[in-house]
Amino acid sequence: MLIRNAIRSQVKARLRADDLARLAENRAATDTLTGLINPRAIFALLEQIVAERRPCWFGVIDLDGFKAINELYGHVSGDHLLREVATRLSSFADEGTSIARIGGDEFAIVQERPMTAAQIVRLGDGMIEAVRGAVTYGSQKLTVSASCGFAHYPDMAADTMALYERSDFALYKAKQSHRGHTVVFNKENELEIREHVLIERAFREGDLENEMFLMFQPQTNILTGRVVGFEALARWRSASIGLVPPDLFIRVAEKSGYINDITKLLFKKGLAAAASWPVDVRLSFNLSLHDVSNLDTINWIIGQVKESGVDPARLDFEITETAVMFDFDLSCRALGMLVDLGAKIALDDFGSGHSSFEYIDRLPLHKIKIDKSFVDKVSHNRVSVEIVSVILTLCQRLNLDCVLEGVETTKQLEVLSGLGAQLIQGYLFGRPMEGPRVLESLMQFERKLSA
Ligand code: C2E
Ligand code: CA
Ligand code: CA
């Protein structure tokens, strides 16, 4: 992401006329590792095409799983893989097709031949297919996948900067929901990209330390009636754009490289809150995709916990399938470090993904949170009741805790407790509340219990 930001600023800088001339001279410059065209040269080419108002497609290909290979097999293997990927991609290069390496594991394509969107998707998918084949290095078999985003000049973007941003956005869309495929920028993305730009600016210019805070939602054991812990939920009241929904700003933060900083500032606040609670009350904290594949962030978290004096055994870290899918081996290592510290791991939004069961035995899990979409249906849908029942039994057998999320009605509660559910989180037992209200509400719960 940082590389992308650097390129973005390079593109911005390149819009200056004096740079233009200088960079045009450097067009032949190659990337020393792979022998492909380097970023300067490809963007200079793009500038030239745009200056001459010639139509073209611009694409970005990003490898999925490259980081894990670097981590597991070392940089020499990683470099070998990059060179092989570059060789395979360059087989697509011809008079109208230029291919460059523009970041660690990111490549760009300029296609000057006229092509329809369907044709460009075929080209992109063909490149992905070529990249996907295993690369042999000594006794190692290295495999990566790739995703690709394309945008067209002038149909989808008016200048180089916008063209890069739009193809990058299409790549982001591919990574989000069409991993391993090619996505072409479309009109609906236009509004979304504007929203993202606005949010990124507010990240850059805002005082995030003060603007961001946590709300805490109780998780209740319905057998004992006690609140066992609180899930910390991020909130952001931006001075320039107001209250931004957490799933939206977390997504933009992941995309733009702000997520690690945001996780850190939120985790500090979460730890400080937990330190003021009774010692038998747990704190559940959400980790995002980039946190679980970043050992620096995980080490930082571990350092903070040790410094805070909060018993790590009181902490749950919530992760999602999409977070670990991004870089499975690295995520497992990161989660293992948190488990070694004494914390617990919860698999969030269980049942909302595709292959949930697959992860249960591959991850160091202590807890599963059944997604609200199942809970919503248990009061009127027999199949959902059966599914929840099976998951509860599975958790029991595997000695995992199970939290039912998003419980809103007494009818749902009745069905769930009939199935043997113990841990409940939802509006029925408490909405997310501001930090200072937590102690007060704990006292209220206790008073209710003893009444
Ligand atoms: P999540 O982790 O699944 O969090 C549960 C969401 O469901 C929260 O929405 C919560 O307010 C909502 N919820 C809980 N009970 C009920 C209920 O009974 N009815 C309904 N309708 N909703 C209920 P929220 O706070 O808007 O968070 C949305 C998502 O944003 C979270 O989903 C999580 O994916 C992400 N998020 C929130 N805080 C953080 C954070 O600190 N870090 C990261 N990485 N992601 C966060
Ligand atoms: Ca969660
Ligand atoms: Ca959830």
Side-chain angles (χ1 to χ4, degrees):
M1 304 300 158
L2 293 177
I3 291 164
R4 261 183 231 159
N5 286 342
I7 290 168
R8 197 167 288 157
S9 50
Q10 267 188 37
V11 176
K12 262 184 199 153
R14 200 159 290 122
L15 294 177
R16 294 201 303 263
D18 52 346
D19 278 351
L20 253 175
R22 188 169 49 79
L23 287 165
E25 282 168 23
N26 270 333
R27 189 127 43 91
T30 53
D31 169 48
T32 44
L33 179 70
T34 62
L36 290 176
I37 305 171
N38 70 12
R40 286 170 153 236
I42 197 96
F43 287 112
L45 169 66
L46 211 53
E47 285 294 348
Q48 193 186 347
I49 292 174
V50 169
E52 293 166 8
R53 303 204 180 289
R54 297 195 328 256
C56 76
W57 285 97
F58 182 71
V60 193
I61 291 193
D62 188 89
L63 303 187
D64 301 320
F66 176 72
K67 223 170 119 195
I69 288 192
N70 248 346
E71 288 269 339
L72 289 172
Y73 300 103
H75 290 272
V76 179
S77 300
D79 285 355
H80 177 78
L81 179 77
L82 286 175
R83 275 193 293 268
E84 178 59 28
V85 165
T87 306
R88 293 180 189 181
L89 289 177
S90 51
S91 71
F92 291 85
D94 57 28
E95 215 177 303
T97 318
S98 311
I99 295 170
R101 175 166 170 254
I102 58 170
D105 59 350
E106 205 165 90
F107 300 84
I109 308 124
V110 172
Q111 175 57 267
E112 296 178 67
R113 246 181 281 115
M115 280 192 178
T116 62
Q119 285 170 322
I120 205 75
V121 166
R122 268 202 296 282
L123 176 69
D125 283 351
M127 289 176 162
I128 291 170
E129 202 50 49
V131 167
R132 232 186 242 139
V135 172
T136 312
Y137 187 55
S139 59
Q140 297 159 356
K141 242 191 163 111
L142 314 171
T143 43
V144 281
S145 179
S147 303
C148 178
F150 269 102
H152 187 266
Y153 170 82
D155 294 357
M156 297 166 189
D159 57 43
T160 317
M161 175 69 177
L163 185 60
Y164 172 71
E165 241 166 29
R166 278 155 179 67
S167 56
D168 190 45
F169 196 81
L171 170 67
Y172 157 71
K173 283 278 153 192
K175 288 201 159 257
Q176 222 185 17
S177 41
H178 302 281
R179 211 163 257 266
H181 295 280
T182 302
V183 168
V184 170
F185 189 80
N186 66 36
K187 285 274 182 296
E188 285 102 71
N189 298 151
E190 193 68 51
L191 265 181
E192 213 177 323
I193 205 170
R194 259 185 240 154
E195 195 175 57
H196 283 209
V197 168
L198 214 69
I199 291 172
E200 271 185 48
R201 188 182 309 144
F203 279 153
R204 217 168 30 243
E205 293 167 3
D207 174 7
L208 301 188
E209 192 72 42
N210 279 316
E211 294 175 358
M212 289 194 179
F213 57 101
L214 290 169
M215 299 275 269
F216 300 93
Q217 186 179 31
Q219 298 178 338
T220 309
N221 182 330
I222 52 174
L223 296 187
T224 62
R226 289 225 141 74
V227 173
V228 294
F230 289 86
E231 178 178 3
L233 294 160
R235 295 291 177 266
W236 179 30
R237 191 173 289 113
S238 152
S240 58
I241 48 179
L243 207 56
V244 187
D247 20 20
L248 174 60
F249 77 74
I250 297 284
R251 220 166 40 235
V252 180
E254 284 173 345
K255 178 173 175 286
S256 56
Y258 281 92
I259 189 67
N260 295 130
D261 290 345
I262 289 174
T263 298
K264 287 177 179 176
L265 80 84
L266 290 173
F267 188 64
K268 264 192 175 172
K269 290 179 196 254
L271 267 186
S276 72
W277 301 343
V279 290
D280 57 347
V281 177
R282 312 182 61 80
L283 170 75
S284 235
F285 189 82
N286 292 284
L287 288 181
S288 104
L289 183 150
H290 292 273
D291 302 323
V292 270
S293 55
N294 187 327
L295 297 184
D296 288 343
T297 304
I298 300 296
N299 276 319
W300 182 91
I301 286 177
I302 291 170
Q304 290 294 307
V305 175
K306 286 182 177 159
E307 221 173 86
S308 72
V310 171
D311 182 357
R314 289 173 60 199
L315 300 176
D316 291 323
F317 289 96
E318 300 194 5
I319 52 150
T320 60
E321 287 164 22
T322 27
V324 295
M325 255 153 52
F326 182 67
D327 210 327
F328 189 81
D329 298 314
L330 198 55
S331 303
C332 271
R333 256 176 75 188
L335 297 178
M337 287 158 66
L338 294 172
V339 172
D340 289 345
L341 177 73
K344 293 188 170 175
I345 309 294
L347 185 60
D348 205 354
D349 304 339
F350 186 78
S352 65
H354 304 292
S355 53
S356 312
F357 286 102
E358 186 196 331
Y359 288 100
I360 294 186
D361 72 321
R362 293 176 65 200
L363 288 168
L365 293 181
H366 302 91
K367 191 180 276 190
I368 279 174
K369 297 187 81 181
I370 301 186
D371 195 57
K372 180 175 181 302
S373 56
F374 283 123
V375 172
D376 280 344
K377 289 185 274 187
V378 291
S379 51
H380 57 271
N381 182 317
R382 197 62 227 147
V383 176
S384 295
V385 175
E386 290 303 326
I387 293 173
V388 171
S389 169
V390 166
I391 303 173
L392 279 166
T393 310
L394 181 78
C395 286
Q396 238 168 23
R397 295 218 175 135
L398 296 175
N399 213 5
L400 297 170
D401 284 338
C402 186
V403 182
L404 278 301
E405 276 199 293
V407 178
E408 292 181 340
T409 67
T410 46
K411 181 86 207 290
Q412 289 167 346
L413 181 63
E414 257 168 46
V415 178
L416 295 171
S417 66
L419 296 176
Q422 288 190 24
L423 299 172
I424 301 281
Q425 180 181 350
Y427 290 175
L428 184 66
F429 284 90
R431 290 192 175 239
M433 59 188 86
E434 306 226 358
R437 279 213 44 227
V438 167
L439 283 176
E440 187 190 310
S441 86
L442 277 172
M443 282 190 294
Q444 261 172 20
F445 283 120
E446 286 299 321
R447 270 201 296 275
K448 248 195 245 164
L449 263 183
S450 52

